[in-house]
């Protein structure tokens, strides 16, 4: 498959050479993703010199950067089998979909795992470092423990928290508990907002976020946070969520007990 990919990419880039802007760098990219988005994306990139990069990424290249001239991939079945094998080795079952196109700089694809042509990788990593960017460079900060956590919590709920990786961050959607009476929901959220502010003041890598449409969830949010992907194990967010609920419920009980 690799030789086919290199030849395919080189000829495709050459074909559109006069139609793509010279001031940008370009790769031919092929990516495989799960139909139900329950596993990271397998992305391949090649340049006109035939240098190849292989990456496991949070999202498809077309979602985060300019994607031009999509085309059909003849070696689609090989890519699907490779993707299935990677997922199965980690205990996941996927339904692969393959897409391809020319992608244009600036390259904003983040990588959990990165391999391929060392010279090209070093060039891209160096470029990111001098610009203060953290896309492909993210792979240098992802330990085995962090990677396992990402896989096990990729776009799914765990004890009331929905984990949504996007680029070099993870958004944490903390669900408003079911059964909260309608008249108390706003108060729950207001108290959570105060607690969230205190948390952000205490930890400078924690930021406020919101429910993104891409999350595809209908639940009401108690609060939403985001943190750098490589910081996901620095705090026990399950415990933080439970502490939020306990403190909110304590305040609610005090308000309920007020006499007029």
């Amino acid at each position: 498959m690799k030789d086919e990919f290199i030849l395919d990419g080189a000829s495709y880039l050459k074909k559109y050479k006069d139609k793509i802007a010279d001031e940008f760098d370009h790769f031919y990219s092929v990516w495989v993703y799960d139909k139900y988005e329950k596993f990271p994306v397998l992305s391949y990139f090649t340049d006109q010199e035939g240098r190849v990069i292989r990456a496991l990424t949070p999202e498809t290249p077309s979602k985060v950067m300019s994607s031009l001239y999509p085309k059909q991939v003849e070696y689609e079945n090989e890519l699907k089998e490779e993707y299935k094998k990677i997922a199965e080795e980690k205990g996941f079952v996927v339904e692969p979909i393959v897409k391809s196109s020319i992608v244009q700089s600036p390259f904003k694809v983040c990588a959990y795992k990165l391999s391929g042509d060392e010279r090209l990788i070093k060039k891209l990593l160096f470029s990111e470092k001098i610009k203060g960017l953290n896309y492909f460079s993210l792979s240098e900060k992802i330990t085995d423990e962090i990677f396992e956590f990402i896989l096990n919590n990729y776009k799914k709920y765990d004890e009331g928290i929905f984990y949504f990786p996007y680029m070099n961050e993870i958004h944490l959607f903390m669900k408003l508990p079911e059964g909260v009476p309608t008249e108390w929901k706003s108060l729950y959220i207001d108290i959570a907002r105060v607690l969230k502010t205190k948390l952000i003041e205490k930890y400078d890598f924690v930021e406020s976020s919101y429910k993104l449409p891409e999350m595809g969830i209908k639940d009401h949010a108690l609060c939403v946070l985001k943190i750098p992907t490589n910081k996901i194990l620095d705090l026990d967010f399950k415990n933080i969520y439970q502490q939020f609920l306990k403190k909110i419920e304590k305040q609610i009980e005090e308000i309920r007990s007020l006499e007029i």
Side-chain angles (χ1 to χ4, degrees):
M1 188 282 292
K2 183 179 178 181
D3 290 340
E4 289 181 271
F5 173 59
I6 292 171
L7 291 172
D8 195 21
S11 63
Y12 204 59
L13 288 167
K14 184 177 180 180
K15 176 181 178 180
Y16 287 99
K17 184 177 180 180
D18 295 334
K19 295 184 179 181
I20 53 182
D22 290 337
E23 62 266 29
F24 298 106
D25 292 323
H26 297 88
F27 281 140
Y28 173 62
S29 180
V30 175
W31 58 90
V32 195
Y33 64 97
D34 177 37
K35 178 180 179 180
Y36 300 104
E37 297 188 8
K38 297 302 180 184
F39 196 78
V41 180
L42 175 62
S43 301
Y44 278 95
F45 304 88
T46 186
D47 61 8
Q48 277 192 285
E49 296 180 37
R51 298 179 296 182
V52 176
I53 292 176
R54 177 181 184 267
L56 273 175
T57 63
E59 57 279 304
T60 65
S62 61
K63 280 189 177 181
V64 295
M65 58 192 296
S66 180
S67 180
L68 312 167
Y69 309 114
K71 73 183 292 289
Q72 185 68 34
V73 179
E74 295 179 1
Y75 38 90
E76 181 175 309
N77 289 336
E78 292 178 57
L79 286 166
K80 286 182 176 180
E81 289 305 313
E82 180 185 4
Y83 188 60
K84 284 181 181 178
K85 184 178 179 181
I86 293 170
E88 286 172 2
E89 287 174 352
K90 296 296 183 179
F92 294 87
V93 176
V94 293
E95 290 193 30
I97 296 175
V98 178
K99 299 288 184 181
S100 79
S101 73
I102 293 173
V103 292
Q104 178 175 283
S105 64
F107 298 116
K108 294 184 178 181
V109 177
C110 295
Y112 297 142
K113 297 290 184 180
L114 190 64
S115 60
D117 187 275
E118 290 187 10
R119 189 162 61 93
L120 180 56
I121 289 173
K122 286 180 180 178
K123 174 187 173 183
L124 292 170
L125 293 181
F126 179 73
S127 176
E128 287 188 8
K129 285 177 182 177
I130 62 175
K131 294 175 183 176
L133 302 176
N134 186 35
Y135 299 124
F136 279 162
S137 303
L138 177 64
S139 61
E140 298 180 314
K141 303 172 185 176
I142 301 299
T143 64
D144 290 341
E145 291 78 13
I146 291 173
F147 185 59
E148 288 300 317
F149 183 91
I150 291 168
L151 293 182
N152 292 327
N153 295 277
Y154 186 81
K155 297 184 181 180
K156 66 174 64 171
Y157 267 115
D158 186 17
E159 297 184 20
I161 302 176
F162 185 82
Y163 296 89
F164 188 78
Y166 183 71
M167 298 188 74
N168 51 24
E169 297 174 321
I170 295 179
H171 297 253
L172 299 99
F173 176 96
M174 296 183 175
K175 181 181 176 181
L176 182 70
E178 295 178 8
V180 175
T182 302
E183 63 270 22
W184 293 101
K185 286 182 179 179
S186 294
L187 189 54
Y188 264 75
I189 294 168
D190 287 341
I191 298 172
R193 188 178 295 115
V194 174
L195 295 173
K196 179 173 72 171
T197 299
K198 288 182 174 292
L199 183 70
I200 291 170
E201 289 173 349
K202 186 174 182 179
Y203 300 103
D204 61 3
F205 59 87
V206 179
E207 297 181 46
S208 180
S209 184
Y210 55 93
K211 184 167 75 171
L212 301 171
E214 295 87 349
M215 291 178 179
I217 50 180
K218 297 180 180 179
D219 299 311
H220 292 290
L222 181 69
C223 74
V224 188
L225 305 168
K226 67 178 179 180
I227 62 165
T229 301
N230 56 294
K231 295 284 188 180
I232 189 61
L233 298 182
D234 286 16
L235 294 175
D236 184 346
F237 286 101
K238 289 182 184 178
N239 182 59
I240 288 171
Y241 178 52
Q242 292 303 319
Q243 290 301 314
F244 272 26
L245 292 178
K246 287 180 182 178
K247 290 174 180 178
I248 291 169
E249 287 162 5
K250 181 180 179 181
Q251 294 298 316
I252 295 292
E253 284 304 312
E254 290 182 5
I255 293 171
R256 285 179 185 272
S257 66
L258 290 175
E259 295 185 5
I260 299 177

